[in-house]
Amino acid sequence: MNPGTEIKERLEYAEAQNHAEGKQESHLEKRESGLKSKLSSRQVAMIGLGCTIGTGLFLGSAISVKLAGPAVILSFLAGASIALTVMWALAEMAVEHPAPGSFGLYAELYLHPWAGFAVRYTYWLTLVMVVGLEVVAGAIYCAFWFPHVPAPLWIAIFSIALVLINTLSIEDFASIEYWFAMIKVVTILAFLVLGAMVLLGIGFPRIGPGNFTSHGGFMPGGWKGVALGVVMAIFSYLGLEIVGTTAGEAADPKRAVPRALRRTLGWLAVFYLGGLTLVVGIVPWTEIGLGESPFVRVFERVGIPAASHIMNFVVLSAALSSALANLYFCARLLFSLARGGFAPATLGKLSKRGMPVAAVLASSIGLVLSLVLAHFFKETAFVFLVGVAFFGGPFIWLMTLATHIAFRRQVREEKREIVAIAPLGIWTSYVGILALLAVLASTWWIPDFHIALLAGPPWLAFLTVCYFIWRKFQPRAKAG
C-alpha cells in the first residue's frame, strides 16, 4: 500500500473515532438535561459550604481531637492537602462536562459504565447515611435546650422540612441554602475573632498557649494519632465534590465551578484550621467529647452563656444546612442514574418546577434510618452512621482522581485544549490516590470505623452483580 494512502486512511479513521466519541459525550450529557441553569457562582459556593460545614466541623471534629490531641491541627492540614488534589481534578472535568451526574458521569465516560454505576450508587448510599447523621446531630444539639424531648421527635420534624424544601424550585432552594450557609459562615468568623480575643486575653482573662502542650504534650498520640486524625478530617471535607454536581444547574459553569471550588476549599481551610486551633487552645483536649459541640464547649468554658446558646443555634443550623444540601445531591445522583438507565425511569422525571421530586423522596430513606437508629441505639447512632458513610467518601475521591488521569490521557491523545487547573497534571492525582489509600487503610486502627472496611468490599461486589444483571435485562443500560 502507498504510504501516503495508509496515512490518509489512519487520519480518516482517527477523525471518525473522535467524532463517535464526541457524539457519545454529547449523548451522555444531553440525557441528563432538563434541570434549570439558575445558580450563580456565589450560590454554588454556598451549596458547597452547606455540604461541608456541618457535623464534621461542629461535632465530628471531637473524634479527631480524641485521637490526635492538639495536633488535630496537623491532621486537618493534611486532609485539606488531599482535598486540594480532588478539587483540581474535579474542576477540570466539570468545566469540560457540566452535568448533574458529575464524577459519576465522568467515570462512565472515561473509565467504564460499571465505574459510573458503582460511583453514583456508592455515593448515593453514602450521602443517604450523611443526611441521616446530620439530623441525628441536630437532635443532639436540640438536647442542649430541651433535654427531655425525645430525639426521634426532632428527627421527624427536621426530615419533613428537608424534604419539602428540596421539592421547591431551584431558585427557592438555592436562596434558602444560601442564607442557611451564610448564618454559619458569619458566625464562624465571629467565633474566630472572639476565640482569638479569649486566647490572647483581649477583653477576657488571658488563657495563653498552655493547653497546646499540657495534658500529654502537643502530640499525645504521637504521629500515629495525627495520622488517625486525618481519617475524620477527610470525612469533614467530604462534600467539596458536590460543587461539581451543581455545574448542571450553574448559569456559567466554566467560571462558576472552578471559582466555587476554590472559594469552598479556601473557606474550609480557614474555618477548620482556625476553629480547631482555638478550640484546643481554649479548652483542654481531654475535656472534649461527643456529648456536645466542642465550639459550644468553648463558650461555656469562658463563661459566656448567651454566646453558647447562640453558637448552639448556629451548629444546629449548620447540621440542617448540610442535610439540606446533601439531600439535594442525593436526588441529583439518583436522577442521573435513572437518566442513564440504571434506576427506574420514574426517578429521572422532573416536576413542573424542574425538580426531581421522585428522586428526592427515594433519597429520604436515610432520614427514616436515622429515626430507627435514634430510637433503638440512641447512644451510638451518630458514630455508627459516620462509620457506614466513611467508605463511600474516599472511594469516590479515589475514583474521581483515577477518572482525571484517564481524562487527561484522552485529552492528550486527542490534542484537545482544556482549562488546565491541576498544576502538575495527572501527578497531583497520583499523589492524592496514594494518600487516600493510606487514609482508608488506617481506619482499621479506629474501632468505630471498622465497618467502613468491612462493608466496603461486599458492597462493591453486590453492585457489580447488580450492574451486570441490569445490563443484561435493560437494553438502554448497554449504551456506552
Side-chain angles (χ1 to χ4, degrees), residues 21 24-25 28 97 104-112 410:
E21 289 170 358
Q24 180 191 18
E25 292 178 21
L28 288 174
H97 307 290
L105 177 67
Y106 312 149
E108 180 180 350
L109 182 59
Y110 291 101
L111 293 178
H112 190 274
Q410 183 166 320

Side-chain angles (χ1 to χ4, degrees), residues 379-433:
E379 298 299 327
T380 57
F382 176 78
V383 174
F384 175 80
L385 286 169
V386 169
V388 171
F390 187 76
F391 171 78
F395 173 73
I396 288 343
W397 280 16
L398 284 167
M399 293 296 286
T400 298
L401 293 170
T403 302
H404 178 248
I405 292 170
F407 163 76
R408 275 294 196 120
R409 285 175 175 169
Q410 183 166 320
V411 164
R412 186 174 64 244
E413 290 173 3
E414 296 175 358
K415 297 181 179 180
R416 286 188 353 224
E417 292 291 330
I418 64 167
V419 179
I421 298 173
L424 299 178
I426 63 174
W427 292 107
T428 56
S429 293
Y430 279 122
V431 170
I433 286 173

Side-chain angles (χ1 to χ4, degrees), residues 106-124:
Y106 312 149
E108 180 180 350
L109 182 59
Y110 291 101
L111 293 178
H112 190 274
W114 171 88
F117 179 86
V119 162
R120 279 174 284 199
Y121 264 120
T122 299
Y123 208 56
W124 177 78

Side-chain angles (χ1 to χ4, degrees), residues 241-261:
E241 63 286 341
I242 290 179
V243 174
T245 297
T246 61
E249 292 171 277
D252 184 6
K254 289 187 181 294
R255 293 183 57 193
V257 175
R259 183 182 299 176
L261 280 164

Side-chain angles (χ1 to χ4, degrees), residues 20-107:
E21 289 170 358
K23 284 183 67 178
Q24 180 191 18
E25 292 178 21
S26 176
H27 165 69
L28 288 174
E29 292 172 22
K30 186 177 180 181
R31 80 183 185 200
E32 298 192 6
S33 63
L35 297 170
K36 296 182 179 180
S37 301
K38 299 285 187 178
L39 299 179
S40 66
S41 61
R42 289 186 306 161
Q43 290 173 324
V44 170
M46 281 299 181
I47 289 174
L49 287 173
C51 292
T52 46
I53 301 177
T55 301
L57 173 61
F58 292 118
L59 188 60
S61 56
I63 299 176
S64 284
V65 173
K66 285 296 184 184
L67 292 168
V72 68
I73 302 165
L74 301 180
S75 299
F76 274 77
L77 182 61
S81 301
I82 297 172
L84 186 61
T85 66
V86 179
M87 185 206 78
W88 284 329
L90 183 58
E92 285 191 355
M93 295 186 290
V95 167
E96 195 72 6
H97 307 290
S102 189
F103 45 77
L105 177 67
Y106 312 149

Side-chain angles (χ1 to χ4, degrees), residues 272-331:
Y272 277 96
L273 296 175
L276 287 174
T277 298
L278 293 173
V279 165
V280 297
I282 295 171
V283 180
W285 71 271
T286 52
E287 296 182 16
I288 295 173
L290 280 174
E292 63 180 351
S293 167
F295 286 75
V296 175
R297 184 83 174 121
V298 166
F299 287 116
E300 289 180 335
R301 182 77 178 182
V302 298
I304 312 176
S308 68
H309 283 280
I310 294 171
M311 197 65 200
N312 197 62
F313 167 75
V314 172
V315 296
L316 172 61
S317 66
L320 297 180
S321 168
S322 181
L324 183 64
N326 279 298
L327 184 57
Y328 161 90
F329 193 20
C330 272

